[in-house]
Coordinates of all heavy atoms in Angstrom, one line a residue:
Chain A
S534 N 40.4 226.3 103.5 CA 41.6 225.5 103.8 C 42.3 225.1 102.6 O 43.5 224.8 102.6 CB 41.2 224.3 104.7 OG 40.7 224.7 105.9
H538 N 46.0 228.0 100.2 CA 47.2 227.4 99.5 C 47.2 227.7 98.0 O 48.3 228.0 97.5 CB 47.3 225.9 99.8 CG 47.4 225.6 101.3 ND1 48.5 225.9 102.0 CD2 46.4 225.1 102.1 CE1 48.2 225.6 103.3 NE2 47.0 225.1 103.4
Chain B
G198 N 53.8 222.0 106.7 CA 53.1 222.3 107.9 C 51.5 222.2 107.8 O 50.8 222.4 108.8
G199 N 51.1 221.9 106.6 CA 49.6 221.9 106.3 C 49.2 220.6 105.6 O 49.8 219.6 105.7
P200 N 48.1 220.7 104.8 CA 47.5 219.5 104.2 C 48.2 219.1 102.9 O 49.2 219.8 102.5 CB 46.1 220.0 103.9 CG 46.3 221.5 103.6 CD 47.4 222.0 104.6
D201 N 47.8 218.0 102.3 CA 48.1 217.7 101.0 C 47.1 218.3 100.0 O 45.9 218.1 100.3 CB 48.1 216.1 100.8 CG 49.4 215.5 101.3 OD1 50.4 216.2 101.5 OD2 49.3 214.2 101.5
A225 N 41.9 219.6 100.0 CA 43.0 219.6 100.9 C 42.8 218.5 101.9 O 41.8 218.4 102.6 CB 43.1 220.9 101.7
I226 N 43.7 217.5 101.9 CA 43.6 216.3 102.8 C 44.4 216.5 104.0 O 45.6 216.9 103.9 CB 44.0 215.1 102.0 CG1 43.2 215.0 100.7 CG2 43.9 213.8 102.9 CD1 42.6 213.7 100.4
C227 N 43.8 216.3 105.2 CA 44.5 216.6 106.5 C 45.6 215.6 106.7 O 45.5 214.4 106.4 CB 43.5 216.4 107.6 SG 44.2 216.5 109.2
R228 N 46.8 216.2 107.1 CA 47.9 215.4 107.4 C 48.3 215.4 108.9 O 49.2 214.8 109.3 CB 49.1 215.8 106.6 CG 49.0 215.3 105.1 CD 50.4 215.5 104.5 NE 50.8 216.9 104.6 CZ 52.1 217.2 104.5 NH1 53.0 216.4 104.3 NH2 52.4 218.5 104.7
C229 N 47.6 216.3 109.7 CA 47.9 216.5 111.1 C 47.1 215.6 112.0 O 47.3 215.5 113.2 CB 47.8 217.9 111.5 SG 46.1 218.5 111.7
D230 N 46.1 215.0 111.4 CA 45.2 214.1 112.1 C 44.3 214.8 113.2 O 43.7 214.2 114.0 CB 46.0 213.0 112.8 CG 46.2 211.8 111.9 OD1 45.5 211.7 110.8 OD2 47.1 211.0 112.2
R231 N 44.2 216.1 113.1 CA 43.5 216.9 114.1 C 42.2 217.4 113.6 O 41.4 218.1 114.3 CB 44.3 218.0 114.7 CG 45.6 217.6 115.2 CD 45.5 217.1 116.7 NE 46.8 217.0 117.2 CZ 47.3 217.8 118.1 NH1 46.7 218.8 118.5 NH2 48.5 217.6 118.6
S232 N 42.0 217.3 112.3 CA 40.8 217.9 111.7 C 39.5 217.3 112.2 O 39.5 216.1 112.5 CB 40.8 217.7 110.1 OG 39.6 218.2 109.6
S233 N 38.5 218.2 112.4 CA 37.2 217.6 112.8 C 36.3 217.3 111.6 O 35.2 217.0 111.8 CB 36.5 218.6 113.7 OG 36.5 219.8 113.2
M235 N 37.6 215.1 109.0 CA 38.4 214.1 108.2 C 37.6 213.5 107.1 O 36.4 213.3 107.2 CB 38.9 213.1 109.2 CG 39.9 213.6 110.2 SD 41.4 214.1 109.3 CE 42.5 212.7 109.6
W237 N 39.2 215.8 105.3 CA 39.5 217.2 104.8 C 40.2 218.0 105.8 O 39.8 217.9 107.0 CB 38.2 217.9 104.3 CG 37.3 217.0 103.5 CD1 36.0 216.8 103.8 CD2 37.6 216.3 102.3 NE1 35.4 215.9 102.9 CE2 36.4 215.6 101.9 CE3 38.7 216.1 101.5 CZ2 36.3 214.8 100.8 CZ3 38.6 215.3 100.4 CH2 37.4 214.6 100.0
C238 N 41.1 218.8 105.4 CA 41.7 219.8 106.3 C 40.7 220.9 106.7 O 40.0 221.3 105.8 CB 42.9 220.5 105.5 SG 43.6 222.0 106.3
D239 N 40.7 221.2 108.0 CA 39.8 222.3 108.4 C 40.6 223.4 109.0 O 40.1 224.2 109.8 CB 38.7 221.8 109.3 CG 39.2 221.4 110.7 OD1 40.5 221.3 110.9 OD2 38.4 221.1 111.6
S240 N 41.9 223.4 108.7 CA 42.9 224.5 109.2 C 43.2 224.3 110.7 O 43.8 225.2 111.3 CB 42.4 225.9 108.9 OG 42.6 226.1 107.5
T241 N 42.8 223.3 111.4 CA 43.2 223.0 112.8 C 44.7 223.0 112.9 O 45.2 223.3 113.9 CB 42.5 221.7 113.3 OG1 41.1 221.9 113.2 CG2 42.9 221.5 114.8
H242 N 45.4 222.5 111.8 CA 46.8 222.4 111.9 C 47.5 223.8 112.3 O 48.6 223.8 112.8 CB 47.4 221.9 110.5 CG 47.2 222.9 109.4 ND1 46.1 222.8 108.6 CD2 47.9 224.0 109.0 CE1 46.2 223.8 107.7 NE2 47.2 224.5 107.9
K243 N 46.8 224.9 112.0 CA 47.4 226.2 112.4 C 47.5 226.3 113.9 O 48.5 227.0 114.3 CB 46.5 227.3 111.8 CG 46.5 227.4 110.3 CD 45.7 228.6 109.9 CE 45.7 228.6 108.4 NZ 44.9 229.8 107.9
V245 N 47.9 223.7 115.8 CA 48.9 222.7 116.2 C 50.3 223.2 116.0 O 51.2 223.1 116.8 CB 48.7 221.4 115.4 CG1 49.7 220.3 115.8 CG2 47.3 220.9 115.6
Ligands
FES858 S1 46.3 219.4 108.0 FE1 44.9 221.0 108.2 S2 43.7 220.3 109.8 FE2 45.1 218.7 109.6

Side-chain angles (χ1 to χ4, degrees):
Chain A
S534 294
H538 301 288
Chain B
D201 280 344
I226 306 230
C227 174
R228 285 192 307 158
C229 73
D230 275 342
R231 306 277 190 103
S232 173
S233 50
M235 289 298 258
W237 318 121
C238 166
D239 70 351
S240 288
T241 303
H242 65 266
K243 292 184 183 180
V245 179

